[in-house]
Amino acid sequence: MRSHVAARASSRCLHRAKPPSYVVIQVAQNATVSQASSSYGAPGYDADIPPPSILSKPTASQNRSRYDPDMFWRKVRPFRNVNATEFLSTRWQRQFKVNTQAKLEAFINEAVPEVLPPSKDPKQRHIRTKGDFIDDIIQGMPKAGMNIGLTPYFLSIIDWTNPLGDPVLRQCLPQKSLQLPDHPMSMLDSLSEKADSPFEGLVHRYPHKILFLAATTCPSYCVGCTRSYAVGPHTDLVNKSRPRQGRRAWQRAFDYIHEHPEIADVVVSGGDTYELQPEHLREIAESLFAIPHINRFRFATRGLSFMPMRILDPQDGWARAVIDITRKGRELGKEVAVHTQFNHPHEISWVTEEAARLLFKEGVIVRNQTVLGRGINDNVETMGALIRGLADINFKPYYVYQADMVQFTEHMRTPLSTILRLEKELRGTIAGHCIPHFVVDLPGGGGKRLAQSYERYENGVAEYISPVLKYKSEKPDVYKYYDPLA
Ligand code: SF4
């Protein structure tokens, strides 16, 4: 964690945190006087505030990072004058999220050059200028199942000088030029989670495991979200069926778990558990620890990718809560873990490395679940670099998922043959305990199966048998995954 000096510097500076310029533009449009006159001032640290210690002494891990061990966000024009104290603060990251069309347009207007480098993707060759690029996104938004929502950190790891092929941008911003008609077999709730829910907010599919949806929002939003039927604000296309939140709803979940002694394992998810306050994490953990038959649980969050500085922020108690819960779990003989999602090596910055180092030092188990995405990580070099990068920071590469057949995300999917090839070419090149399982979560609620365990794979249709799902006797024995048609 940062030194006390840096912590004090952080709290002092936040009182006068200056917005990045896309917020200034937005505010000016809305004619709000108090912030419209904000400006960044001189670049560099404030003269009387020393830099945080994690910046002043580059570590070995920082030196091997793809980023400079300094303020990489300043390469992005709207952040060019944002100092480290601000950028590394959770509050600042939350305050200056880009979550409206107006903010996004203002951000892109400043971040992107007037003329773009030509795209290698034939579908995007017509996008030559900044205006074309903005139009492509604005026209893509009404055809997406997820709203936009981006932390400044996630924005800062996108190459805005060449945004068309950027693998991080593809994950979080809809682009009309890439979108495809839905596969006829795609569904909004493609994994049939609702059918396996005894009540909203709880999915009981596997006999011994429960999925507890304790949040309905995320720090940023993913275009290809599997749970887009329930997560985030409503969109033009999707009226979200968000589970009720709050203590009464949670108590109902805990009561259900109490009544089912066969359940040993709980995934606390959402949405994203980064959206929960530290005291909520502690409350959930205490309730689960108090149930004798619960042997393990994990907190699911993509926050480590969206906003890793939260782990290092001495003003924020999320990491402290997870560390304390992990320790208590060890005392009780129960495993606590964090499950996260990194989809591209660019998501691993030195801030991530520092956050990972802290969690590892404190004994927190972090496992990663990557989603395979077209144009994002669907080649051996990228997937290999991602797996090795995660193993190097002690985030256990756990799963690589075939993208689900979710409506409005067809352009994110690859044929099953891609995941089969990736596993074939990567297994044997990386230590066996660092190689993830390459899996398909079967459409219709068949659960996870190794991608290579199909019974038949012909003409773009793969058939799997799901042996363990006895909870719904009417469930079929054979589940099919369909390759994209285009
Ligand atoms: S973080 Fe997870 S739940 Fe949230 S939008 Fe992304 S995929 Fe969906």
Side-chain angles (χ1 to χ4, degrees), residues 346-422:
H346 288 185
E347 293 166 49
I348 305 173
S349 71
W350 64 257
V351 185
T352 329
E353 292 175 359
E354 291 298 325
R357 180 186 305 231
L358 174 73
L359 293 173
F360 185 69
K361 189 172 134 232
E362 297 288 351
V364 177
I365 297 166
V366 181
R367 302 190 188 102
N368 184 72
Q369 308 188 160
T370 290
V371 179
L372 177 59
R374 192 192 296 197
I376 296 167
N377 52 19
D378 55 346
N379 62 76
V380 172
E381 295 70 30
T382 304
M383 189 61 81
L386 175 64
I387 293 169
R388 284 190 295 274
L390 290 164
D392 285 351
I393 60 172
N394 298 302
F395 286 1
K396 161 87 181 133
Y398 176 36
Y399 279 135
V400 172
Y401 282 99
Q402 179 71 8
D404 295 323
M405 297 186 64
V406 182
Q407 279 182 310
F408 319 122
T409 69
E410 186 69 2
H411 61 290
M412 310 288 283
R413 297 202 299 128
T414 62
L416 187 81
S417 54
T418 305
I419 199 168
L420 298 174
R421 180 172 52 79
L422 289 177

Side-chain angles (χ1 to χ4, degrees), residues 100-132:
T100 65
Q101 182 177 323
K103 284 185 196 170
L104 181 64
E105 280 189 60
F107 179 90
I108 294 175
N109 255 316
E110 194 176 357
V112 171
E114 287 302 329
V115 178
L116 301 185
S119 171
K120 291 184 188 139
D121 188 334
K123 294 190 289 303
Q124 296 196 304
R125 292 251 166 84
H126 62 286
I127 302 173
R128 305 258 173 86
T129 66
K130 174 161 61 183
D132 297 340

Side-chain angles (χ1 to χ4, degrees), residues 189-484:
D189 174 15
S190 76
L191 303 182
S192 292
E193 290 188 336
K194 287 203 254 185
D196 280 340
S197 298
F199 49 87
E200 278 192 340
L202 205 77
V203 181
H204 194 176
R205 167 162 302 150
Y206 303 92
H208 309 296
K209 187 177 92 174
I210 206 105
L211 173 64
F212 169 35
L213 304 178
T216 59
T217 57
C218 306
S220 294
Y221 290 113
C222 313
V223 172
C225 179
T226 287
R227 208 161 287 134
S228 55
Y229 72 88
V231 171
H234 303 303
T235 68
D236 290 357
L237 292 174
V238 184
N239 199 25
K240 311 276 173 168
S241 50
R242 291 187 291 249
R244 280 180 205 283
Q245 296 297 301
R247 289 206 167 77
R248 198 185 287 179
W250 289 0
Q251 191 54 51
R252 195 175 178 201
F254 301 140
D255 290 346
Y256 181 90
I257 299 168
H258 260 293
E259 290 158 12
H260 288 78
E262 72 276 19
I263 299 170
D265 191 342
V266 180
V267 181
V268 185
S269 185
D272 193 307
T273 58
Y274 233 48
E275 296 286 270
L276 298 177
Q277 294 304 315
E279 57 270 25
H280 294 147
L281 294 182
R282 291 178 193 274
E283 203 175 312
I284 290 169
E286 285 306 320
S287 299
L288 295 177
F289 282 142
I291 303 174
H293 53 267
I294 294 303
N295 293 327
R296 56 196 166 271
F297 56 88
R298 34 267 162 72
F299 294 112
T301 174
R302 202 180 171 184
L304 300 179
S305 166
F306 289 146
M307 196 166 56
M309 51 278 291
R310 184 171 197 189
I311 301 300
L312 302 164
D313 186 344
Q315 309 290 317
D316 188 279
W318 198 92
R320 189 72 256 161
V322 170
I323 291 164
D324 290 347
I325 293 166
T326 301
R327 282 200 188 136
K328 177 147 188 201
R330 282 179 200 272
E331 282 164 20
L332 297 172
K334 302 189 180 213
E335 187 202 75
V336 177
V338 171
H339 281 202
T340 191
Q341 182 186 153
F342 282 73
N343 295 333
H344 194 278
H346 288 185
E347 293 166 49
I348 305 173
S349 71
W350 64 257
V351 185
T352 329
E353 292 175 359
E354 291 298 325
R357 180 186 305 231
L358 174 73
L359 293 173
F360 185 69
K361 189 172 134 232
E362 297 288 351
V364 177
I365 297 166
V366 181
R367 302 190 188 102
N368 184 72
Q369 308 188 160
T370 290
V371 179
L372 177 59
R374 192 192 296 197
I376 296 167
N377 52 19
D378 55 346
N379 62 76
V380 172
E381 295 70 30
T382 304
M383 189 61 81
L386 175 64
I387 293 169
R388 284 190 295 274
L390 290 164
D392 285 351
I393 60 172
N394 298 302
F395 286 1
K396 161 87 181 133
Y398 176 36
Y399 279 135
V400 172
Y401 282 99
Q402 179 71 8
D404 295 323
M405 297 186 64
V406 182
Q407 279 182 310
F408 319 122
T409 69
E410 186 69 2
H411 61 290
M412 310 288 283
R413 297 202 299 128
T414 62
L416 187 81
S417 54
T418 305
I419 199 168
L420 298 174
R421 180 172 52 79
L422 289 177
E423 171 160 23
K424 193 171 176 185
E425 296 198 24
L426 285 167
R427 192 172 286 283
T429 68
I430 300 171
H433 64 94
C434 295
I435 276 282
H437 304 298
F438 292 77
V439 297
V440 184
D441 212 342
L442 297 175
K448 294 175 199 66
R449 304 295 289 153
L450 287 177
Q452 52 169 281
S453 69
Y454 57 82
E455 302 297 316
R456 187 197 309 252
Y457 179 32
E458 288 172 0
N459 303 320
V461 184
E463 293 182 2
Y464 292 87
I465 290 176
S466 181
V468 297
L469 302 177
K470 305 304 290 179
Y471 266 75
K472 304 269 179 195
S473 55
E474 70 273 18
K475 279 195 176 235
D477 294 331
V478 177
Y479 292 82
K480 294 182 181 177
Y481 184 89
Y482 296 83
D483 285 350

